[in-house]
Amino acid sequence: MNIVNVDYDGLIPNNVGLNSDQRVKAALEKWHPGYLDWWNDMGPEGFQQSLVYLRTAVSVDPKGWAKFDYVKMPDYKWGILLAPQVDDRKIPFGSHKGEAAWQEVPGEYRAMLRRLIVIQGDTEPASVEQQRFLGKTAPSLYDMRNLFQVNVEEGRHLWAMVYLLQKYFGTDGREEAEALLQRRSGDTDTPRMLGAFNEETPDWLSFFMFTFFTDRDGKMQLEALAQSGFDPLSRTCRFMLTEEAHHMFVGETGVGRVIECTCAAMKQAGIQDPNDIQAVRKLGVIDLPTLQKKLNLHFSLTLDLFGNEISTNAANAFHAGIKGRFREDKLEDDHKLENSTYPISRLVDGKISSVDVPALSALNMRLRDDYVADCAAGVGRWNRVPEKFGIAFQLTLPHVAFHRQIGEFSKVKADIAGAVMTDKEWESRKGDFLPSDSDREFIESLMKPEFEPGKFASWIAPPKTGIDNKSGDFEYVKIAD
Ligand SMILES: [Fe+2]
Ligand SMILES: [Fe+2]
């Protein structure tokens, strides 16, 4: 078996030697039709027969792993791809630090591992469900192709998690794999497991914000799981991260192109004041204050995915060597954290203060702090655009206490600077912070499809370069009638 190149001979492309593992192969082949039913029901609506210029992984070599070609999405080669095994890999943290990485599930951590894999797995199909109507209002064929690329890769990520469940968790793994196809984003009876994955993605600005903020949570979780002492999980996540980078690119450049388009239109019309919302909207572009409100919404919804400030689950998973920190292998400390503390924001007598707590119980917050720093770097890159146009407007991340549903700050109302306010103040001011109905209606009014090759909707600038170095008028999706 060649672990770098992918075996495309069978029904399920893979680099895990599926042909010599009849039990798992049979289990996956049994799961496959249900997956396709799910994809046909819940995947991109209206474009299943269209030819989409997609990348498919042909190798897991970081230097080059994809080939591009036209494919109908239901025929996409979803496969099981693990990053190459590291020789002699050791568990990098926790109470088993320095022991050989596990190639089988350690019995005592079986339930914990299964739970983590199921939660990660559940987010993958959820985002496909959330985004299924967006193709119809794509601002260009380029953007439509990027949406579908993200969608098929989230589908593949579901395969990645289902492979782990089927291979390592026996009957209950099989049941969990089935249940992953049954839950539905936003469904009242059988919702997806996490809040942000039950929200709607009603328009393209939401999609770009989602891929920037919420896929970035995915990146952080995968980075933490890529450190796992359970080697098959580590290898799976390492390869998923190479795909995830594109999702983040779609979000960052998507929002960046919206800002670019708005600033260019303002400049051309001689509008100096970014807060003159009505004048800016008349130009058919999205005003910067509304962009800020969308940012506030998606950032705050995503922070909830990091869970509670103090978490024994996170402490246990670290102690067990199952889930590490962001770039654990680059950190310089004892990697056990039994005697260290970590500062977190908490409510003390109704005020937000920094409090030192045992580092093990604060691991969610540590990952969240790394996440916030990663977001802030991207926001800084966005802010170069108004600067370039000489427009006095800077996007900012709201305070972590703003608009929270989970953890300490769900008990209070806070503004974007983190000042605690009364319920009454919140009711009268929330429209300043979050998109109002009329903001949403305005954004929706711009969502007119643009399906002519090389053309873009009024509210978004073309990308600097094409996918796979294609020219500007390349037909990224050949739409079937
Ligand atoms: Fe994913
Ligand atoms: Fe993603």
Side-chain angles (χ1 to χ4, degrees):
M1 183 184 73
N2 182 333
I3 55 136
V4 173
N5 292 313
V6 178
D7 171 7
Y8 269 98
D9 290 345
L11 189 59
I12 303 163
N14 71 91
N15 70 338
V16 295
L18 211 51
N19 269 331
S20 51
D21 194 345
Q22 288 307 317
R23 182 189 66 80
V24 177
K25 190 174 173 216
L28 287 168
E29 284 178 355
K30 206 167 156 219
W31 184 80
H32 197 172
Y35 172 82
L36 282 179
D37 286 347
W38 167 80
W39 178 270
N40 284 315
D41 279 1
M42 298 309 291
E45 197 179 275
F47 298 92
Q48 302 273 12
Q49 293 310 308
S50 297
L51 286 168
V52 188
Y53 193 69
L54 294 175
R55 71 176 181 189
T56 302
V58 289
S59 138
V60 292
D61 187 337
K63 288 196 266 333
W65 53 271
K67 83 170 176 26
F68 288 83
D69 208 350
Y70 284 107
V71 57
K72 287 183 189 168
M73 285 182 279
D75 301 334
Y76 185 76
K77 292 289 184 192
W78 285 286
I80 296 155
L81 309 168
L82 271 57
Q85 189 158 8
V86 174
D87 288 337
D88 204 23
R89 181 168 175 260
K90 302 278 190 275
I91 299 167
F93 60 90
S95 58
H96 300 282
K97 181 178 179 299
E99 296 172 22
W102 299 299
Q103 300 304 325
E104 294 294 332
V105 176
E108 52 186 320
Y109 305 136
R110 193 171 187 278
M112 182 194 286
L113 257 174
R114 193 187 62 202
R115 195 183 117 262
L116 287 171
I117 292 168
V118 168
I119 291 174
Q120 180 62 42
D122 193 66
T123 65
E124 312 291 356
S127 65
V128 176
E129 293 164 5
Q130 289 170 293
Q131 295 160 13
R132 63 191 286 247
F133 300 116
L134 288 175
K136 297 178 178 185
T137 53
S140 71
L141 293 181
Y142 167 87
D143 289 292
M144 186 193 279
R145 178 260 165 220
N146 284 348
L147 165 72
F148 294 159
Q149 183 73 62
V150 170
N151 291 160
V152 293
E153 286 175 355
E154 300 304 7
R156 202 201 69 71
H157 292 175
L158 173 60
W159 273 91
M161 293 298 122
V162 163
Y163 167 71
L164 294 176
L165 289 169
Q166 301 271 24
K167 178 156 173 82
Y168 296 99
F169 293 89
T171 312
D172 43 339
R174 208 152 48 239
E175 282 163 12
E176 295 285 13
E178 282 307 317
L180 283 165
L181 295 176
Q182 305 307 327
R183 287 185 287 273
R184 292 285 182 272
S185 175
D187 193 284
T188 36
D189 299 325
T190 55
R192 292 292 170 185
M193 297 169 84
L194 301 173
F197 290 90
N198 288 303
E199 298 283 332
E200 281 181 33
T201 310
D203 60 74
W204 276 78
L205 184 56
S206 303
F207 169 66
F208 292 134
M209 290 289 180
F210 184 96
T211 40
F212 182 87
F213 286 108
T214 310
D215 278 71
R216 191 178 306 275
D217 160 69
K219 165 183 152 177
M220 301 308 289
Q221 303 300 335
L222 293 173
E223 288 271 10
L225 293 172
Q227 300 288 340
S228 184
F230 179 49
D231 205 42
L233 177 61
S234 165
R235 292 173 58 201
T236 303
C237 291
R238 272 161 48 214
F239 186 69
M240 289 165 77
L241 279 165
T242 59
E243 293 166 310
E244 209 58 61
H246 176 68
H247 309 181
M248 238 124 298
F249 161 87
V250 169
E252 180 167 332
T253 57
V255 175
R257 288 160 53 215
V258 177
I259 301 172
E260 175 96 28
C261 189
T262 300
C263 292
M266 286 173 65
K267 185 98 182 165
Q268 208 191 8
I271 299 170
Q272 285 295 319
D273 179 8
N275 294 308
D276 190 350
I277 290 170
Q278 291 320 318
V280 173
R281 287 187 177 183
K282 274 195 197 123
L283 306 172
V285 294
I286 301 172
D287 53 285
L288 301 174
T290 298
L291 266 163
Q292 175 69 58
K293 288 193 212 174
K294 290 289 275 188
L295 180 161
N296 294 344
L297 175 66
H298 285 269
F299 180 68
S300 59
L301 287 172
T302 306
L303 290 183
D304 281 337
L305 294 172
F306 289 87
N308 284 311
E309 281 76 4
I310 300 291
S311 166
T312 39
N313 278 343
N316 291 340
F318 185 87
H319 190 69
I322 297 296
K323 184 178 178 185
R325 288 171 293 176
F326 180 56
R327 304 200 171 139
E328 182 77 42
D329 46 359
K330 307 271 178 337
L331 298 173
E332 285 188 22
D333 57 22
D334 71 356
H335 301 277
K336 294 187 181 228
L337 305 179
E338 280 154 14
N339 302 310
S340 29
T341 60
Y342 188 79
I344 65 166
S345 292
R346 296 199 81 170
L347 277 177
V348 181
D349 301 329
K351 277 216 214 74
I352 298 166
S353 321
S354 176
V355 182
D356 283 339
V357 299
L360 274 175
S361 65
L363 283 163
N364 283 346
M365 290 310 94
R366 179 162 186 148
L367 192 61
R368 196 187 72 187
D369 288 345
D370 290 328
Y371 167 79
V372 173
D374 210 47
C375 289
V379 172
R381 290 188 288 274
W382 287 341
N383 281 333
R384 287 191 211 134
V385 181
E387 244 165 64
K388 182 180 81 182
F389 283 93
I391 291 169
F393 193 93
Q394 295 280 280
L395 293 159
T396 52
L397 293 174
H399 192 279
V400 293
F402 169 76
H403 188 236
R404 298 296 306 283
Q405 325 291 322
I406 286 181
E408 286 284 294
F409 303 120
S410 62
K411 296 177 227 152
V412 293
K413 299 279 187 287
D415 70 10
I416 47 173
V420 176
M421 55 193 349
T422 64
D423 284 4
K424 208 169 150 213
E425 282 171 315
W426 169 257
E427 279 311 314
S428 71
R429 291 189 58 205
K430 72 177 178 193
D432 298 342
F433 309 133
L434 293 169
S436 64
D437 287 343
S438 71
D439 294 331
R440 273 189 285 267
E441 276 160 32
F442 170 69
I443 292 170
E444 222 160 276
S445 76
L446 294 179
M447 296 298 128
K448 308 241 172 61
E450 180 52 85
F451 293 169
E452 203 176 309
K455 290 244 171 106
F456 289 82
S458 70
W459 53 273
I460 189 164
K464 297 229 159 37
T465 49
I467 293 293
D468 193 29
N469 286 319
K470 292 296 173 196
S471 62
D473 59 353
F474 183 72
E475 192 175 8
Y476 288 99
V477 183
K478 294 183 181 176
I479 298 173
D481 317 301

